[in-house]
Amino acid sequence: MKRSIWYLFFLVIMLHSCETPEELTSYVPFSAENPTTKEKISLGRALFFDKRLSKDGSVSCATCHRPEYAFTDRKPFAQGIEGRFAERNASTLLNSAFLETVMFDAHLKNLELQVLVPIQEPTEMGHNMKALIPKLREIPEYQQSARTVFKRDFDAWVLTRSIAAFERSLLSLNSRYDQYMKGHKKALNEQEVAGLKLFNSLYCVQCHPAPFFTNFKAANNGLYHDYGKDKGRFRINLDSADIGFFKTPTLRNVALTFPYMHDGSFHTLGEVINHYARGGNHPKGQNEQIQAMNLTSQQKQQLIAFLGTLTDTSYMKKFRKRAR
Ligand code: HEC
Ligand code: HEC
């Protein structure tokens, strides 16, 4: 009897440690108003990769959010139709199911609302919903899926709900860091462990706390004295206290999402760390946590090594060999 209880105990532990990112989906918050289903994700995925969503048929969501670059595009400023530059650096969409606020201005409540922004933005996809919806409704696969999944004709509701459901399926939570935290001590080498300890001892964790390495809040991390034409969250309420405030990005997959910051102004993690080490540029409004600190070049290397352990590209198995 006793023995079988132990057996059961080990079985549970084993099942637990075999947990794959897919199994983590059960923890993913989903919108009660837009529950995720397989069919919805697959419609959203087709739309996400479809260039017909842009005015001239040249740009899809995936043009700026490329799976292999952790759903960013490696350009300082994302590039939309006719080679036009968007105002900012493209954000990763991995783990976006967990976002508490959406966009650098931290002003949108959910992913559904966000979908309409790039479609109608003149520098991104440049379309308008009035013209786009009838065009998409004429595509038999989209109209059929809308009828099956949503029991209605293809419309803006279907478009925004299905793309948001697809985005919520983009999970990347099984990095070497995660494996280490689950007890696989060999998942990190000595330098990476030193980097993890150092990171946890620095002020970084105030704004970039585990598990998502962001507190989802906007902050001024001291980039510029004059933010120029992009003053961050200021543009939402024109409140001068918001100048230079941008939503703190996740550090998961940060080794893949260069260049960094809302304007892609830092190309390497070394540049980012030097920025913080000198205590920022001290503009008005800079968060007071950010202070100069003495980091040796070895410590900087340890931090960079640790940030590299937050990469998990297992989601890519769903995206190999995808033509764009
Ligand atoms: C021309 C390039 C471009 C295209 C096309 C594009 N995006 Fe983006 N995306 C960006 C940029 C730049 C940002 C950051 C903008 C900001 O926060 O102000 C962004 C931000 C986002 C965010 C916010 C992420 C976060 O952390 O808050 C989501 C979600 C998103 N995009 C989804 C989409 C979807 C869905 C589509 C297609 C309907 C799309 N994007 C098309 C460039 C693009
Ligand atoms: C006061 C909050 C705050 C603190 C403290 C802070 N950050 Fe940040 N971090 C931010 C904000 C806000 C941004 C985005 C700024 C922007 O886009 O202009 C950012 C951006 C970054 C980026 C770029 C991410 C990307 O995808 O573009 C990295 C890397 C980073 N921080 C690492 C660190 C490290 C390492 C520390 C500690 C030395 C640290 N941060 C401390 C708020 C903070």
Side-chain angles (χ1 to χ4, degrees), residues 104 203-204 207-208 219 221 223 246 249 251 260-262 276 287:
F104 270 119
Y203 57 69
C204 316
C207 301
H208 298 281
N221 70 343
L223 290 181
F246 294 88
L251 301 181
Y260 303 110
M261 307 299 169
H262 69 279
Y276 287 113
N287 187 287

Side-chain angles (χ1 to χ4, degrees), residues 143-167:
Q143 171 64 0
Q144 267 162 27
S145 300
R147 296 287 342 160
T148 325
V149 181
F150 293 92
K151 316 265 179 292
R152 58 199 284 159
D153 289 333
F154 193 98
D155 62 2
W157 174 278
V158 172
L159 176 75
T160 56
R161 267 60 187 176
S162 54
I163 292 184
F166 166 69
E167 291 174 305

Side-chain angles (χ1 to χ4, degrees), residues 251-271:
L251 301 181
R252 285 188 176 267
N253 295 299
V254 75
L256 303 176
T257 62
F258 56 89
Y260 303 110
M261 307 299 169
H262 69 279
D263 56 356
S265 50
F266 292 137
H267 293 273
T268 63
L269 288 171
E271 288 170 52

